[in-house]
Amino acid sequence: MMTVADGALPIRGRAPASARATTAPRGWVPAYVVLLGAAFSLSAASWDIQWHIDVGPDTFFTLPHLFLYAGSALSGLASLAVVLMTTAAKRGDREVDAAVGGRAVRVFGGTFAAPLGYLVAGTGSAGFLLYGLFDLWWHSLYGFDAVIASPPHIGLLLSITLSMVGAVMVFAAAGEHSWGRIGVVLALTVMLAFSLVAAQGLEEFEGGVIDAITVGITFLTTLVLFTAVGFLRNVRLVLGFGVVFALLQGLLWWFSPWATRAYAVAVDLPMRDYVMGAPLVPSQMPMSLLVAAALTWGIMRFAGRAGRLAAPLGGFLVGALVTVCGLAQSALVYGYSIPPFGDLVPTIVLGAVLGALAGFLGRRFAVMLRAMRESR
């Protein structure tokens, strides 16, 4: 057995096939179940937001809410199953395959042995369900709640984003396998799409010279792009990330209005007269992502001489691009004229500056993801 730092369980990088079969499910099975639950919650969240916009009245137990919690529960149960099986393997002195979620760590003083990725994913799912109870209490106090920026809603969105971060870590630990690399692409796609929902909470800061939501979307998009490029290091996978994101955007663009209308008919509620022409969640997803992904790859591939400055300088350029395209996208989708350039300058400048910060952070997050694979 190799010796590890205090708080980590002794494991080997690769166990015999017979041992792996008795310690935890095959690596790809629980990983993709966690990802399926996250994707389920994302589609339900897009549906629920569209329901609030196009129909309005709801209760805690509407169908979109139930689908939302079911997706989080699925991710949480899959994570719990892996933790329990890993704990049983440790107590039985059997090998633990570190490709299943990463290195196992002690939880509650060694009561449980939890692969790091599944620990993060499961914690996010548990937090999501707890914030769901908070949301139920909030509804009982204040009734109908149609804003994203309420305390329980922000807690819900941050919790499930944490769960998706865990899913990315799970796949990153298996990055030597093709299913792991493909899973990273899919998990990053779902995580970015859902994190952009949380950016809608910045609407509370709207009304000044800065388009706060656009700036928030720019920061998150640039952060995930530099994380993806730094970890994947493969132009086909990076561009594949952009393509998958576009496909997801198109799917949600169709699904959210369709599910909203179908459910409204089923429960005999009328659609509002001023229904938006574009569904909110997919219309906020940057259509420029594929171009931005190619630019990010090019910058990080050919700017090696810039050293540590490559990521922040590249982030500055990518942030400016995503901000400009985001402002143009909003005008195009919602049918209003683009304001004079002078009015857009503060938003573009702030987007570029936050893009530089996102590039700096994204490069370091990529190093952390690679460490999950390389430390096994």
Side-chain angles (χ1 to χ4, degrees):
M1 290 288 183
M2 60 182 289
T3 302
V4 297
D6 186 36
L9 296 174
I11 57 177
R12 289 179 182 173
R14 185 178 297 276
S18 58
R20 291 200 301 273
T22 59
T23 58
R26 290 292 184 183
W28 67 271
V29 176
Y32 278 98
V33 171
V34 169
L35 179 59
L36 177 63
F40 206 66
S41 292
L42 171 62
S43 60
S46 180
W47 177 12
D48 182 55
I49 291 171
Q50 204 60 39
W51 175 268
H52 281 286
I53 294 171
D54 291 349
V55 181
D58 77 337
T59 68
F60 180 80
F61 296 102
T62 59
L63 199 57
H65 285 178
L66 296 179
F67 274 49
L68 188 63
Y69 289 105
S72 184
L74 182 62
S75 296
L77 289 173
S79 299
L80 178 61
V82 173
V83 169
L84 293 178
M85 297 184 74
T86 303
T87 301
K90 172 60 181 175
R91 291 181 178 179
D93 199 25
R94 298 194 299 274
E95 296 282 0
V96 177
D97 184 6
V100 182
R103 177 175 295 182
V105 296
R106 299 180 187 275
V107 180
F108 298 132
T111 303
F112 297 98
L116 185 58
Y118 286 105
L119 176 62
V120 174
T123 300
S125 296
F128 185 85
L129 297 176
L130 290 175
Y131 271 108
L133 296 177
F134 182 24
D135 191 42
L136 176 60
W137 174 77
W138 187 271
H139 277 278
S140 69
L141 285 181
Y142 301 107
F144 176 57
D145 182 4
V147 297
I148 292 178
S150 68
H153 288 173
I154 294 299
L156 288 167
L157 294 173
L158 292 179
S159 294
I160 201 165
T161 299
L162 178 63
S163 181
M164 293 176 186
V165 169
V168 174
M169 295 170 65
V170 166
F171 285 110
E176 65 187 42
H177 303 290
S178 59
W179 66 262
R181 293 188 294 273
I182 293 172
V184 169
V185 171
L186 297 176
L188 284 172
T189 300
V190 175
M191 183 183 73
L192 175 57
F194 213 111
S195 65
L196 298 182
V197 177
Q200 302 303 311
L202 295 173
E203 65 184 356
E204 298 298 320
F205 299 96
E206 291 288 299
V209 296
I210 301 292
D211 188 331
I213 293 178
T214 296
V215 169
I217 290 173
T218 293
F219 175 78
L220 293 169
T221 301
T222 308
L223 178 66
V224 174
L225 277 174
F226 275 82
T227 301
V229 170
F231 176 80
L232 296 171
R233 295 180 171 182
N234 183 302
V235 65
R236 288 177 296 178
L237 290 175
V238 171
L239 295 180
F241 169 53
V243 171
V244 171
F245 188 84
L247 292 174
L248 177 62
Q249 185 178 32
L251 179 62
L252 291 178
W253 203 295
W254 163 80
F255 171 77
S256 301
W258 172 83
T260 298
R261 291 187 182 92
Y263 187 42
V265 171
V267 297
D268 197 25
L269 284 175
M271 300 286 289
R272 286 174 170 164
D273 294 334
Y274 54 92
V275 169
M276 295 173 58
L280 179 64
V281 172
S283 68
Q284 294 293 317
M285 295 167 64
M287 297 178 182
S288 61
L289 188 77
L290 182 57
V291 175
L295 176 61
T296 304
W297 166 261
I299 290 171
M300 298 308 295
R301 174 67 177 82
F302 299 107
R305 294 182 180 179
R308 295 181 179 179
L309 294 178
L313 289 176
F316 186 90
L317 295 176
V318 173
L321 171 68
V322 174
T323 302
V324 170
C325 291
L327 293 170
Q329 176 179 323
S330 296
L332 175 65
V333 168
Y334 296 112
Y336 60 80
S337 59
I338 299 178
F341 180 76
D343 294 343
L344 302 178
V345 168
T347 298
I348 296 172
V349 170
L350 182 57
V353 171
L354 290 181
L357 175 61
F360 173 83
L361 294 175
R363 184 177 183 181
R364 278 146 183 78
F365 289 158
V367 172
M368 294 167 65
L369 288 178
R370 292 200 304 271
M372 288 200 64
R373 177 184 61 195
E374 295 165 358
S375 64
R376 300 193 297 108

